[in-house]
Amino acid sequence: MAITGIMRPGFIQIRVLDMPAAVEFYTKRIGLHQVTEGPDGRVYLKSADEFDHHSIVLRRADSAGVDAAAFKCLKDSDLDHYEKRVKEYGFAVDHVKVGEQPGVGRRIGFTIPSGHRIELYAHADQSDPKPRIHNPDVWDLEPHGMAARRFDHSLLYGPDIEKNLDFFEKALDFRCAERVDMPDGLLAIWLTAGMKAHDIAFVKYPEPGKLHHVAFELENWNAVGHAADIITRYEISVDIGPTRHGITRGQTIYFFDPSGNRCEVFAGGYTYYPDQPTRTWDETQVGKGIFYYERVMNEAFLSVVS
C-alpha cells in the first residue's frame, strides 16, 4: 500500500496534574525518554525507537485529558491539500506557526464533531535517542520500563461520531477498519490511515472532547506480560488485562497515569489493506469484541474518561 498524504499518528498532547510525577511515570514506567522542556513548562517525550523529535507532549493543567491529537503528513504540500478539503467539508481551519512546539514545522488544526482538536503537520526534526540507520542493532539504547516502541494510537470519547466517521473518510482519506453497531445506532469506530488496524478510534459519549486512552506499542505478548509485572511492582492503578481484543485482535493491558489518564500498552493486531471490508460487531457479541477472553464489558472501561 503506497502511503501518501496523512501517514500516521504523530504526537498527542495530554494534560497532567503533577508534572514531576507524570514525567517519572512516562519515562521510568512506560519507557520513554524526555527530549526537552519548553519555556512554557510543557515536556516533550519520545521512544528511543522513534526518529521524530517527540510523540508525547505533557502540559500541566488543573484537569486531566487531551488537548490535541496530531497526524503527520508525508510532505508539506499535503497541509495545503487537506486545508482545502477540510474547509470544503465545512470546518474552520487555523494555523499554528513553526516553533510553537520545538522541532515541529507548521501545523493546521480544526475541531471535529466529537469536540476534539485534530492537527496535521509534515515536518519534524529528529532527536536523540533514535535508531541508528547504518548497520543498526535491534536497539541502540537499552530498553527500560515497559519498553514502549512508539506512540501507537488514541481512543477518544465524544458525541456525533457518525459525523466523525463521515469527515475522516471524505476529507482525510481514512478508512474504517472496524465498527460496533448497537440497536440505537453507531457506538464505536476504528479508523486507519495506513496498514494498521487503527490509528485513532472514537466511542459515542455524551460529553465532548474526552480522552479514553493513549496507547503505546510493545514488541509482543511477552512484553505485555512484562508490563503487567511493572504495574504490579509499582502499584500502578490497573483497569483490565492482560487480555486480548476481538476488535483489532490486539493484546493489551490498560492502566492509569498519576493524573488519571488511561494508558494502554498494545501488541499485535492484524494488517489492514484498503480493499478489505469493514468488520462489524453488534450488541450480541460486543463484549467479546472488546475483551475477547472475558467476553463481557468492563463498566469502568466504558465510563471512566479524562
Side-chain angles (χ1 to χ4, degrees), residues 176-180 248-249 270-272 276-281:
C176 184
E178 295 201 51
R179 60 185 287 160
V180 174
T248 77
R249 300 183 189 166
Y270 56 76
T271 300
Y272 176 84
Q276 294 177 356
T278 298
R279 305 167 197 230
T280 301
W281 297 75

Side-chain angles (χ1 to χ4, degrees), residues 42 78 103 120 131 153 169 209 242 250 277:
R42 283 183 292 176
D78 291 327
L120 306 178
H153 67 269
E169 289 184 328

Side-chain angles (χ1 to χ4, degrees), residues 145-147 217-230 253 265-267:
M146 298 180 191
E217 189 223 29
L218 303 186
E219 187 169 11
N220 52 37
W221 179 242
N222 288 338
V224 175
H226 174 65
D229 290 340
I230 290 175
I253 184 168
V265 287
F266 178 95

Side-chain angles (χ1 to χ4, degrees), residues 20 23 25 30 62 71-72 85 97 106 121 130 143 146 157-158 167 189 212 232 245 251 264 288 299:
V23 171
F25 175 85
I30 300 292
D62 293 331
F71 292 88
K72 192 178 184 189
R85 296 267 299 275
K97 294 181 180 180
R106 71 181 181 104
Y121 67 103
K130 61 179 183 289
M146 298 180 191
Y157 271 39
F167 170 73
I189 49 175
H212 186 271
T232 299
H245 295 303
Q251 299 145 353
E264 177 191 23
K288 187 177 180 181
E299 182 58 34

Side-chain angles (χ1 to χ4, degrees), residues 18-73:
D18 181 330
M19 186 62 77
V23 171
E24 179 176 19
F25 175 85
Y26 285 97
T27 57
K28 293 185 178 180
R29 307 299 169 239
I30 300 292
L32 305 180
H33 298 265
Q34 181 174 338
V35 177
T36 190
E37 180 178 345
D40 61 359
R42 283 183 292 176
V43 173
Y44 300 86
L45 309 170
K46 62 172 289 187
S47 161
D49 212 31
E50 295 173 306
F51 287 98
D52 286 356
H53 189 273
H54 59 266
S55 59
I56 301 294
V57 185
L58 304 179
R59 182 175 72 85
R60 169 71 178 86
D62 293 331
S63 63
V66 59
D67 287 334
F71 292 88
K72 192 178 184 189
C73 296

